[in-house]
């Protein structure tokens, strides 16, 4: 594996007690850098509170419960992502995940209509996401499901989506917007607020298939959503670090939450992600308080015990 920078002691202290609300670790349908049990032990060593287990393809609540039992003191959080493998916008899948202890629901990612239709190519030299190869394999094998629709082109939110949002509100889950388009995100966040969803995070707004403009980010923040600032988006070259910093500054640290989106074999260790972001932010002139709000306060609001 390549050499990676080491976080500073100051950064480690600043992100202590944080959750990483977006990690991709083994077991998974693709190769990962680390498994969830080993990651929990490493989180304990560096003083992090827990992590949200994200899979694009399978629910993770049962896994999370096993990890919590095996590594006491580290809070592994279960989730579900509403892609084709769980039936898309499937209220039954959300209900069962919630009853199984999940705390996060991602709207469609790899199977969202937006991600399927997105023609935006990554900047030159950007590292493609690992799931892109798997999606190609499924398509070549004749197993490409229809795109999962979440909102209409006119901004309407269909009954099935509203039912999912009501379940998220009923079980007090966190809603993450996945790989929806900016227009879809606007519609869904408005509907989620109307249905009583209390915790909303806009998934990596700088990602190539999102590219949410600053004015729209501010409007989403005004509705109560947090904007997720992922380490991998600038680290993999999908956006410049300067743009990433500018978005945080323009929308405000109080409306942003740090996450790593790590777990790929070629990227830094997952347990280093939040601290590496802290070092980057401090070097850019953000304050200790700014970092603490984004890394700790807001991540605990999204992922912490209910």
């Amino acid at each position: 594996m390549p050499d990676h920078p080491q976080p500073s002691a100051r950064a480690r202290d600043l992100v202590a007690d944080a959750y990483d609300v977006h990690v991709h670790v083994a077991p998974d349908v693709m190769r990962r850098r680390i498994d969830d049990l080993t990651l929990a032990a490493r989180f304990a060593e560096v003083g992090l509170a827990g992590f949200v287990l994200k899979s694009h393809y399978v629910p993770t609540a049962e896994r999370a419960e096993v990890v919590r039992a095996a590594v006491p003191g580290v809070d592994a959080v279960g989730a579900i992502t509403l892609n084709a493998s769980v039936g898309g916008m499937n209220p039954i899948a959300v209900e069962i995940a919630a009853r199984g202890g999940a705390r996060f629901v991602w709207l469609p990612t790899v199977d969202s209509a937006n991600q399927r239709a997105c023609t935006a190519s990554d900047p030159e030299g950007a590292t493609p996401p690992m799931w892109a190869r798997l999606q190609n394999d499924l398509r070549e094998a004749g197993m490409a499901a229809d795109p999962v629709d979440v909102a209409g082109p006119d901004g309407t939110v269909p009954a099935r989506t509203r039912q999912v949002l009501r379940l998220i509100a009923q079980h007090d889950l966190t809603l993450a917007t996945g790989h929806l388009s900016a227009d879809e995100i606007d519609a869904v966040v408005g509907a989620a607020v109307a249905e009583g969803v209390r915790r909303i995070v806009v998934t990596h707004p700088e990602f190539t298939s999102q590219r949410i403009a600053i004015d729209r980010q501010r409007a989403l923040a005004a509705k109560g959503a947090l904007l997720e600032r992922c380490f991998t988006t600038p680290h993999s070259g999908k956006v410049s670090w300067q743009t990433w910093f500018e978005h945080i500054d323009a929308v405000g640290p109080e409306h942003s939450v740090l996450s790593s989106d790590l777990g790929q074999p070629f990227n830094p260790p997952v347990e280093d992600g939040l601290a590496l972001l802290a070092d980057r932010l401090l070097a850019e002139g953000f304050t200790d308080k700014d970092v603490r709000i984004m890394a700790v306060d807001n991540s605990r609001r999204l992922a912490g015990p209910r």
Side-chain angles (χ1 to χ4, degrees):
M1 293 184 184
D3 291 333
H4 297 292
Q6 295 295 308
S8 68
R10 177 186 178 191
R12 290 280 196 210
D13 287 343
L14 279 178
V15 302
D17 298 322
Y19 282 77
D20 190 336
V21 298
H22 190 155
V23 306
H24 295 279
V25 296
D28 200 355
V29 293
M30 59 197 77
R31 193 164 64 92
R32 296 302 185 186
R33 182 185 178 100
I34 193 171
D35 66 83
D36 47 20
L37 288 170
T38 306
L39 181 64
R42 292 191 180 175
F43 265 50
E45 290 171 5
V46 299
L48 293 169
F51 49 85
V52 182
L53 288 166
K54 183 174 184 183
S55 168
H56 291 295
Y57 298 99
V58 298
T60 62
E62 293 178 353
R63 263 175 70 189
E65 185 167 352
V66 171
V67 174
R68 291 195 301 272
V71 189
V74 174
D75 188 16
V77 177
I80 187 170
T81 307
L82 300 181
N83 286 317
S85 59
V86 299
M89 296 299 290
N90 182 356
I92 296 173
V94 174
E95 176 70 16
I96 296 302
R99 291 189 185 207
R103 285 184 234 157
F104 257 68
V105 177
W106 269 275
L107 295 180
T109 57
V110 299
D111 291 320
S112 72
N114 175 60
Q115 187 63 61
R116 293 280 191 88
C118 183
T119 57
S121 59
D122 286 348
E124 184 177 353
T127 305
M130 290 184 70
W131 48 259
R133 175 63 184 273
L134 177 53
Q135 291 297 103
N136 287 336
D137 289 347
L138 294 174
R139 185 164 48 252
E140 289 170 3
M143 291 186 285
D146 291 336
V148 179
D149 291 314
V150 176
D154 57 353
T156 57
V157 178
R160 196 168 180 84
T161 298
R162 288 190 179 275
Q163 185 178 9
V164 166
L165 297 176
R166 283 195 295 275
L167 288 170
I168 292 170
Q170 176 184 325
H171 292 286
D172 197 20
L173 308 179
T174 293
L175 170 68
T177 57
H179 292 200
L180 304 186
S181 68
D183 287 343
E184 289 174 310
I185 291 168
D186 282 344
V188 165
V189 168
V193 171
E195 295 291 350
V197 177
R198 296 178 57 221
R199 298 173 181 84
I200 303 170
V201 57
V202 177
T203 308
H204 46 45
E206 290 81 27
F207 199 77
T208 47
S209 56
Q210 277 68 67
R211 292 288 197 246
I212 302 175
I214 286 175
D215 59 340
R216 300 186 85 162
Q217 291 191 33
R218 287 184 178 131
L220 290 163
K223 293 178 182 178
L226 290 174
L227 287 301
E228 181 191 25
R229 313 300 183 181
C230 290
F231 174 85
T232 58
T233 310
H235 179 76
S236 63
K238 293 178 178 64
V239 70
S240 71
W241 280 104
Q242 194 55 45
T243 297
W244 191 87
F245 294 135
E246 289 170 359
H247 285 192
I248 294 174
D249 190 51
V251 180
E254 67 274 19
H255 300 300
S256 294
V257 60
L258 302 183
S259 75
S260 75
D261 198 4
L262 284 171
Q264 307 79 12
F266 45 81
N267 275 335
V270 181
E271 67 272 17
D272 289 351
L274 296 180
L276 289 172
L277 284 177
D279 276 328
R280 285 271 189 172
L281 288 159
L282 293 170
E284 188 65 20
F286 288 89
T287 67
D288 288 19
K289 181 180 179 182
D290 292 335
V291 172
R292 190 80 182 164
I293 287 170
M294 291 187 282
V296 182
D297 297 350
N298 287 343
S299 73
R300 294 184 69 89
R301 171 181 154 194
L302 293 175
R306 304 294 189 247

